[in-house]
Amino acid sequence: MQQVEDGDAGAWPGPVSREQARKMQRKRILDAMVGDVGERGLRAATVAGVTARAGVSRSTFYELFDDLEACILAVLRQTISRSTALMSSAFEREERWQDGVLAALTALLVSMDRDPLLARVCLLETLAGSPTVLQHRARELAALNPLVDVGREQAHSRCKPPELTAEASIASVAGILHTRMVTGEAEAIRGLLDGL
């Protein structure tokens, strides 16, 4: 164990291990990235701005992340995987497909209401990212396709929706949420549940 110096680990009572210090620093950097990108936009984000907000040194940032893109990818990975797990868990608790979809969507909208800045970063600001960020975002959204496809597979063969139904449905929901954020109508995301 070591006592962390220079404020890089944050307020932590007593000695912490090097690994604990790195975890705390990483969390602070990711939180700062969300704050900086959410308030100023992805294109305006800088390492200096993120490190100042996080209260860590530039060298600490570069020990944990190669660059800003790696940092925003970490935010995106963490957030979308958490959201996908939350939605999948809500979906699986229900017996009927329709109830599962409703539960999954409710879980997503409640989490977005709980942390609107993070929702803005993931749904809106990442669209200004590099091709790598955009590809990662697309892959994570595609991970939700199986939830919708369950309902498509249950449909009668005469009226089975086309294969692109899941992708189109998920893109539509993401697009509507994106539009609400751009137009400033995102105060109560949860209120969109019935319409969606």
Side-chain angles (χ1 to χ4, degrees):
M1 295 281 202
Q2 68 173 11
Q3 187 68 38
V4 177
E5 304 290 329
D6 82 7
D8 262 5
W12 188 264
V16 296
S17 69
R18 184 166 208 77
E19 185 60 31
Q20 287 172 316
R22 290 180 71 75
K23 283 181 182 175
M24 290 185 296
Q25 291 164 340
R26 187 176 196 281
K27 181 183 180 334
R28 287 173 58 189
I29 291 169
L30 293 176
D31 289 346
M33 186 71 172
V34 169
D36 204 43
V37 171
E39 291 173 11
R40 300 175 346 121
L42 183 58
R43 291 191 177 132
T46 62
V47 171
V50 171
T51 56
R53 187 182 284 255
V56 301
S57 65
R58 286 179 71 87
S59 62
T60 296
F61 179 92
Y62 286 112
E63 285 171 18
L64 297 167
F65 301 99
D66 290 339
D67 52 24
L68 276 175
E69 180 178 81
C71 189
I72 195 66
L73 277 170
V75 168
L76 192 57
R77 247 183 240 111
Q78 179 178 300
T79 305
I80 293 182
S81 66
R82 193 180 307 139
S83 297
T84 302
L86 186 70
M87 292 173 72
S88 294
S89 175
F91 179 84
E92 289 166 7
R93 282 193 299 266
E94 302 296 331
E95 289 183 27
R96 292 183 32 207
W97 175 80
Q98 293 90 337
D99 294 336
V101 169
L102 183 62
L105 192 52
T106 301
L108 175 67
L109 298 180
V110 167
S111 73
M112 290 176 69
D113 271 346
R114 212 175 285 135
D115 198 342
L117 203 57
L118 187 56
R120 178 177 182 81
V121 169
C122 289
L123 276 174
L124 185 63
E125 291 302 330
T126 53
L127 291 174
S130 70
T132 303
V133 171
L134 293 172
Q135 287 168 2
H136 184 77
R137 182 182 187 274
R139 275 193 310 272
E140 293 292 343
L141 287 174
L144 297 171
N145 289 349
L147 299 181
V148 178
D149 274 337
V150 168
R152 191 178 73 78
E153 293 301 323
Q154 290 175 359
H156 296 292
S157 58
R158 285 181 291 145
C159 59
K160 189 175 279 194
E163 287 186 25
L164 289 178
T165 300
E167 188 177 345
S169 299
I170 291 165
S172 294
V173 169
I176 290 167
L177 295 173
H178 175 269
T179 300
R180 292 301 188 272
M181 289 180 185
V182 168
T183 60
E185 299 172 43
E187 272 113 40
I189 294 287
R190 196 177 332 182
L192 296 172
L193 181 61
D194 290 339
L196 292 174

